[in-house]
């Protein structure tokens, strides 16, 4: 399965909508998109994961690298609306505590103080 990535500016936040399977074969595509955003000075990112059906460790590492890069730039990374399987992977890996995860894109964009990981 392929991966599609779309971006949308919402105020000072860029919503990165990801759809498909995020794995070793498709993770570089998302990484390239993130690098491009960071190169343009966009460091406040919300990843809409509602349409991500699968995410392996390679995909998780993309989010960790994005968080580290955004932190360095004074920005933030938030994950939004992961499907049950993807949320479970985030929980088992312990990343749900590191990557602020929200039930909806709107809550993630707003920086709602009660993420799904609470």
């Amino acid at each position: 399965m392929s991966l599609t990535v779309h971006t949308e500016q919402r105020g000072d936040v860029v919503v990165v909508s990801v759809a498909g399977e995020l794995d070793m074969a498709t993770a570089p595509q998302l990484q390239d998109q993130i690098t491009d955003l960071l190169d343009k000075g966009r460091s406040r990112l919300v990843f809409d994961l509602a349409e991500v059906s699968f995410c392996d460790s390679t995909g998780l590492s993309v989010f960790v690298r994005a968080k580290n890069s955004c932190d360095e730039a004074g920005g933030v990374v938030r994950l939004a609306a992961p499907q049950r399987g993807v949320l479970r992977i985030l929980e088992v890996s312990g990343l749900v505590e590191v990557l602020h995860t929200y039930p909806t894109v709107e809550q993630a964009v707003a920086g709602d103080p009660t993420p799904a990981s609470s």
Side-chain angles (χ1 to χ4, degrees):
M1 182 177 207
S2 65
L3 188 77
T4 58
V5 181
H6 299 283
T7 60
E8 174 190 350
Q9 189 77 38
R10 292 195 194 178
D12 65 345
V13 174
V14 177
V15 176
V16 182
S17 299
V18 185
E21 294 183 358
L22 186 53
D23 57 22
M24 186 169 41
T26 60
Q29 178 184 346
L30 180 58
Q31 185 63 58
D32 289 347
Q33 188 78 24
I34 294 166
T35 299
D36 185 53
L37 289 167
L38 290 168
D39 287 348
K40 292 177 180 173
R42 306 287 190 252
S43 61
R44 297 179 54 78
L45 307 178
V46 168
F47 291 94
D48 178 357
L49 305 180
E51 299 297 320
V52 174
S53 56
F54 175 79
C55 181
D56 70 4
S57 61
T58 312
L60 294 178
S61 69
V62 170
F63 295 127
V64 171
R65 283 194 302 274
K67 180 191 182 321
N68 292 340
S69 296
C70 288
D71 285 352
E72 288 175 15
V76 66
V77 166
R78 297 182 185 121
L79 306 182
Q83 292 184 23
R84 177 174 287 179
V86 174
L87 181 58
R88 182 72 181 131
I89 291 166
L90 290 165
E91 290 170 344
V92 168
S93 68
L95 290 176
V96 76
E97 303 299 326
V98 176
L99 301 166
H100 299 291
T101 307
Y102 295 79
T104 68
V105 170
E106 290 73 23
Q107 288 171 308
V109 168
D112 190 314
T114 54
S117 58
S118 302

